[in-house]
Amino acid sequence: MDPWGVFFLCLCFMTAQSETVEASQEPLHWMKKLERMVRSRSSVSLAGLIRGLECSLLNASFGGSNLTLQTPNIQSLIFKLGCNFAGLSLNSTTMKRVPQAWVPHAMQFPAELTQDACRTRPRELRLICIYFFTDHFFQNINSSLLNNYVLGAQLGHGHVNNLRDPVNISFWHNRSLEGYTATCVFWKEGASKDYWGAWSSEGCRTEQPSPSQVLCRCNHLSYFAVLMQLSPAPIPEELLAPLTYISLVGCSISMVASLLTLLLHFQARQQGDSITRIHMNLHASVLLLNVTFLLSPSLALPSMSETAACKALAAIMHFALLSCLTWMAIEGFNLYLLLGRVYNIYIHRYLLKLCAVGWGVPALLVLLLLVTQHSVYGPHTIPLSNSQGNDTAFRNVSICWVRDPWVHNILVMGYGGLTSVFNLVVLVWALRLLHQLRAREEVQSPRACRDSVTVLGLTVLLGTTWALAFFSFGVFLLPQLFLFTTFNSLYGFFLFLWFCSQRYHAEAEAEAEMEAFSSSQTMK
């Protein structure tokens, strides 16, 4: 080749390189703006800056099929895609690293990604991936992000939703994540009044293939991260089968027992007193809780986990649990009235007011949650551990339940704790009162002894066993799991036994009174 030809080729090459550098200057300009905000810890106009970075990446012109841009805390990638797109896998080990990004991560995009866009107007598409190695741009108050990583992706200027084949995002950590609950989330713009968005888990499924890896399967494109929260140690997988069997058998027995109790009550033509009606309301709440609990695992399967049915069932089960706990507290309150206020206990429309509290307060709390935060209910992951030799593998089991940890701590654990403490106080007070009553008698009355057993049995069955939920740590974990599962799954059956014993004693007393009346009539 002559010297002029060589000179021409070099000139073309230099011109192309210059155009590529110029094309990357605008995205780099936005990335440097964001970097300055990280150093100054400023949070002004974050949404506008991130949108500006996205727009500049989507409109950048460059040679080749991809372009990588990088700053200390941000890495941006641009890919040119065609309608013959067969999928794409990105791994941090094959990309240029930054000093902070020493923990590996990966994203895998399915071939379905470009189908909708190519169906409307076949053209060249842009896929941009933005990796933030800091959580400064995404406010997070309640928990921490795994590695402080946020991995984002966008296809063109549109939105990609409801993918049949999910986008797989993998996060690794340099240590085991045992003792933490990992939840895959995406950044939902406009979900917070105080910030430009909030984390949400809708459309994402969390898996944990190993103790140090979290796999997120999401049916849309957005900014993704993993929320980490302290949790009790995972349940040993070998205990899953016996605990499931105990729960299934116990809840089934309790469900039948509660249903039978309600039928026996309604079969009797008399409505009964307020005590009996309170018992029946408690049985109704226990029956609803058992039914929803037995249905929950089947609706939390991966194919149905994000459906409205799972969220509705979770809300109903939460309502049933709150109602059950409330009626336990009502039983304790009614016991206090019976023993403490012996004279003139009449309260106008007493049962109606109790029903307003027992059913109305839980319904109001659940409705408020649905209105203010509709994503609070859905598939809840229960971590399981399986020790095999020197390796520990993790897998998860899901049920339809409360997903927000703050709601769970306040409106499940806190609510149940208050109920248990209240009933324990009533139990101690009632036993002390009956002990004083027996002490004043020269001979122990069989009725007083029976009353003490009655109070003990009633208060234990109406809330005390639920306090076992607060011993799920350390050496207490395994005994607590079996005791809590056994006692509370058979809770409805124990109430049925209580109902039968009370009915038997009532019939025996009625028969004794009839015999005494007949004897008095005979003597006359």
Side-chain angles (χ1 to χ4, degrees), residues 445-513:
S445 170
R447 182 178 179 82
C449 295
R450 191 184 68 190
D451 286 344
S452 63
V453 174
T454 297
V455 173
L456 179 63
L458 179 64
T459 50
V460 167
L461 295 178
L462 303 184
T464 305
T465 57
W466 292 83
L468 291 170
F470 298 94
F471 293 91
S472 57
F473 59 89
V475 296
F476 301 103
L477 176 61
L478 296 184
Q480 179 268 348
L481 285 175
F482 281 95
L483 291 175
F484 183 86
T485 304
T486 302
F487 282 119
N488 293 322
S489 64
L490 291 171
Y491 182 65
F493 176 69
F494 293 150
L495 289 178
F496 171 73
L497 295 180
W498 168 257
F499 172 78
C500 292
S501 65
Q502 290 296 101
R503 189 170 181 176
Y504 170 77
H505 288 307
E507 292 178 354
E509 288 181 358
E511 185 177 352
E513 290 179 358

Side-chain angles (χ1 to χ4, degrees), residues 185-392:
V185 292
F186 79 98
W187 189 253
K188 188 173 183 179
E189 293 187 42
S192 174
K193 296 180 180 179
D194 303 324
Y195 206 61
W196 69 285
W199 292 115
S200 174
S201 58
E202 294 180 29
C204 290
R205 191 168 76 249
T206 305
E207 297 181 6
Q208 206 166 340
S210 68
S212 59
Q213 180 188 3
V214 179
L215 175 61
C216 301
R217 299 182 182 272
C218 301
N219 63 3
H220 57 279
L221 295 184
S222 180
Y223 291 99
F224 303 100
V226 175
L227 289 181
M228 301 301 299
Q229 292 163 332
L230 285 171
S231 65
I235 299 174
E237 185 180 0
E238 55 269 22
L239 299 182
L240 177 63
L243 289 175
T244 302
Y245 180 78
I246 293 173
S247 299
L248 181 63
V249 174
C251 290
S252 299
I253 293 175
S254 292
M255 185 174 63
V256 174
S258 296
L259 184 61
L260 182 60
T261 304
L262 292 171
L263 292 176
L264 289 175
H265 172 70
F266 288 116
Q267 185 182 11
R269 302 196 175 246
Q270 56 183 3
Q271 293 294 325
D273 55 7
S274 61
I275 300 177
T276 304
R277 295 179 183 180
I278 292 173
H279 292 344
M280 294 306 107
N281 280 279
L282 179 59
H283 273 287
S285 64
V286 172
L287 176 62
L288 181 61
L289 180 60
N290 285 321
V291 171
T292 53
F293 180 80
L294 292 176
L295 292 176
S296 180
S298 59
L299 291 183
L301 297 175
S303 59
M304 304 180 64
S305 61
E306 292 300 327
T307 61
C310 182
K311 296 181 180 180
L313 183 66
I316 295 173
M317 185 162 65
H318 190 205
F319 164 74
L321 177 62
L322 294 179
S323 298
C324 185
L325 294 172
T326 306
W327 281 107
M328 290 178 194
I330 290 174
E331 289 279 8
F333 174 74
N334 191 65
L335 179 63
Y336 164 76
L337 292 182
L338 291 176
L339 296 179
R341 296 178 57 184
V342 181
Y343 303 104
N344 192 20
I345 307 179
Y346 175 76
I347 299 176
H348 183 61
R349 295 187 176 181
Y350 179 53
L351 188 63
L352 182 61
K353 294 177 180 178
L354 293 181
C355 288
V357 174
W359 299 107
V361 171
L364 180 62
L365 293 174
V366 172
L367 288 176
L368 285 175
L369 288 175
L370 289 173
V371 171
T372 58
Q373 190 179 358
H374 64 278
S375 61
V376 68
Y377 297 111
H380 170 73
T381 301
I382 302 174
L384 300 174
S385 65
N386 182 15
S387 301
Q388 297 177 350
N390 295 326
D391 297 329
T392 303

Side-chain angles (χ1 to χ4, degrees), residues 147-168:
N147 303 324
N148 289 331
Y149 283 5
V150 179
L151 309 184
Q154 182 178 342
L155 182 68
H157 293 275
H159 297 282
V160 178
N161 296 306
N162 301 319
L163 293 172
R164 292 186 298 273
D165 296 326
V167 178
N168 296 326

